[in-house]
Amino acid sequence: MKYVLCNLLLFVSVFSSHSQTKIIDEETKYPVSYATVSFGNGQGLFADDDGMFIFTKKLYPDVDSLYISALGYKDLSLATKDLPQTITMQIEADKLDEVVVNAKIDRKFKKETIKPYLDDDYYKCWLPTIESEIAVFFPNGNEKLKKITAVLFPITLESRDWKKRKRANADKRKFSTLFKVKFYKNDNGFPGEVMTYTNIVFRATEKNGDEFELDVSEHNLFIPDNGFFVSIQVLGYTDQNGKLLPNKKYKEIKGKNGTVKIPTNFRPLLPFTDEIDAHNTFIRRVFISGNNWVQFKKGNGIESSLLRTNLNNYGVGINYNAYKDE
């Protein structure tokens, strides 16, 4: 019995060591946390906080190459054949000159809030999938100096029984999901350069109710004169300690016409609204539209039931400090 157990443990250990790949910084050898690992067929996954991800030909037999990207690093393309256990990434030279200013502003300010748009209707929600990133634009209403202190993400909780969706949060199905958040400068009406190269992630569970408030005050994010974008992207489910779990990003359904790959949806869902006149929401997907941002609007080639019912925007809110003039 001990012999069988030892062999079983050895098999698990060997399988784990060969299926896990680590992404590190070429110079520091530190892990590159939450790097995006995209597949040539439009699929993908993420490395965890330790730079680890699991990829095997058994899981993804039709994938021949990987496209790896991370904030502040040069993009990298690799063949999946003989994939190394350690992948190194180089910092982009122009990012080395970035200066982070942590100046303390000794001026009075007024706390302001742009409220999020909440909704608990399943049919008014975007179903988060790993290949999609959603960005929402916030204009700068005046010339006052403004510091973003929190982002208010509306979420919808799925219950065990759809008829019980209006019950207390305690009745909702358990989940633990990790999201990545980015802030972009406004580049002629589209998300441009990032405002910070720091990885910003948060974990949402059914205990967060209808809204998740993400504190970003320590990142010193000041609203540019021409506004900014904040984006959200699901990384996947986590264990109870918040550690990102490996997952297969799509489901395979075999039919008469062959195998169809269906993206895996993650909870919580993201409610959209028709109460915003402007089209402030943008989406992008790897290997679709050249990985470029597309305004979430009818006529832009986006197939979505949300657009057919005029649900054009993900109603994110923010808290910010509006500083008084000197």
Side-chain angles (χ1 to χ4, degrees):
M1 182 67 181
K2 290 183 178 179
Y3 176 81
V4 174
L5 180 60
C6 287
N7 276 282
L8 179 61
L9 291 174
L10 179 62
F11 172 79
V12 172
S13 175
V14 170
F15 178 80
S16 298
S17 65
H18 284 282
S19 63
Q20 291 192 65
T21 302
K22 186 170 186 177
I23 306 174
I24 63 172
D25 184 294
E26 185 179 60
E27 294 185 8
T28 66
K29 308 305 179 186
Y30 291 154
V32 179
S33 302
Y34 308 116
T36 304
V37 183
S38 304
F39 305 160
N41 60 358
Q43 309 297 330
L45 48 81
F46 289 93
D48 63 15
D49 56 328
D50 293 321
M52 305 290 295
F53 69 93
I54 293 178
F55 179 93
T56 67
K57 294 296 285 187
K58 183 177 181 181
L59 287 174
Y60 306 99
D62 57 340
V63 177
D64 298 320
S65 60
L66 301 180
Y67 181 82
I68 302 175
S69 59
L71 280 176
Y73 289 88
K74 293 181 180 179
D75 295 340
L76 187 64
S77 295
L78 290 173
T80 58
K81 184 180 180 181
D82 300 324
L83 188 69
Q85 287 184 260
T86 302
I87 297 172
T88 59
M89 296 191 73
Q90 296 179 345
I91 292 178
E92 288 188 279
D94 57 345
K95 303 299 187 295
L96 296 175
D97 298 327
E98 182 192 14
V99 178
V100 179
V101 180
N102 293 317
K104 183 178 180 181
I105 301 177
D106 293 321
R107 286 157 58 181
K108 293 183 178 180
F109 60 84
K110 182 179 180 182
K111 295 182 179 180
E112 300 281 1
T113 296
I114 297 177
K115 294 183 178 180
Y117 290 80
L118 309 179
D119 201 312
D120 198 36
D121 188 341
Y122 174 89
Y123 296 102
K124 294 182 179 180
C125 290
W126 178 279
L127 309 180
T129 55
I130 283 178
E131 88 281 1
S132 60
E133 182 179 359
I134 303 172
V136 177
F137 176 65
F138 288 90
N140 190 342
N142 52 52
E143 297 180 352
K144 290 184 179 295
L145 181 65
K146 305 178 187 70
K147 178 182 177 180
I148 310 165
T149 57
V151 184
L152 312 173
F153 291 105
I155 59 179
T156 295
L157 306 177
E158 217 179 340
S159 64
R160 294 186 183 90
D161 183 344
W162 285 3
K163 295 179 180 178
K164 297 180 180 178
R165 281 192 192 130
K166 296 183 179 180
R167 296 282 295 275
N169 290 333
D171 293 331
K172 307 298 182 180
R173 283 194 292 164
K174 291 184 177 181
F175 60 84
S176 179
T177 306
L178 197 67
F179 289 93
K180 179 190 287 188
V181 175
K182 296 179 187 176
F183 293 83
Y184 295 98
K185 297 176 182 178
N186 178 11
D187 183 6
N188 294 316
F190 289 84
E193 293 184 5
V194 293
M195 294 168 59
T196 176
Y197 286 94
T198 303
N199 274 318
I200 303 176
V201 299
F202 72 88
R203 181 167 66 108
T205 72
E206 72 283 353
K207 297 178 181 179
N208 294 117
D210 297 322
E211 168 191 328
F212 187 95
E213 181 173 341
L214 175 65
D215 185 350
V216 296
S217 55
E218 65 179 30
H219 297 288
N220 291 309
L221 295 163
F222 293 89
I223 300 179
D225 292 340
N226 62 345
F228 75 99
F229 292 82
V230 60
S231 81
I232 183 172
Q233 186 174 26
V234 65
L235 299 181
Y237 288 131
T238 79
D239 61 19
Q240 60 183 4
N241 297 316
K243 185 75 171 179
L244 191 63
L245 296 172
N247 59 73
K248 195 169 183 179
K249 198 200 75 58
Y250 54 82
K251 299 176 183 178
E252 293 182 343
I253 300 178
K254 295 182 179 180
K256 295 181 179 179
N257 298 322
T259 301
V260 179
K261 294 177 181 177
I262 307 297
T264 301
N265 299 322
F266 293 83
R267 301 189 308 272
L269 311 181
L270 308 180
F272 272 50
T273 181
D274 58 0
E275 297 183 36
I276 301 174
D277 293 332
H279 295 273
N280 293 335
T281 299
F282 293 70
I283 64 169
R284 72 170 173 179
R285 289 173 166 169
V286 178
F287 303 112
I288 297 178
S289 299
N291 197 27
N292 293 317
W293 288 102
V294 178
Q295 191 176 31
F296 195 69
K297 183 179 180 180
K298 289 181 179 179
N300 282 350
I302 302 171
E303 292 294 330
S304 173
S305 60
L306 297 174
L307 288 179
R308 289 194 289 271
T309 52
N310 296 316
L311 298 166
N312 300 311
N313 287 287
Y314 178 39
V316 177
I318 59 170
N319 291 337
Y320 63 92
N321 294 338
Y323 292 88
K324 295 186 177 181
D325 297 332
E326 293 182 299

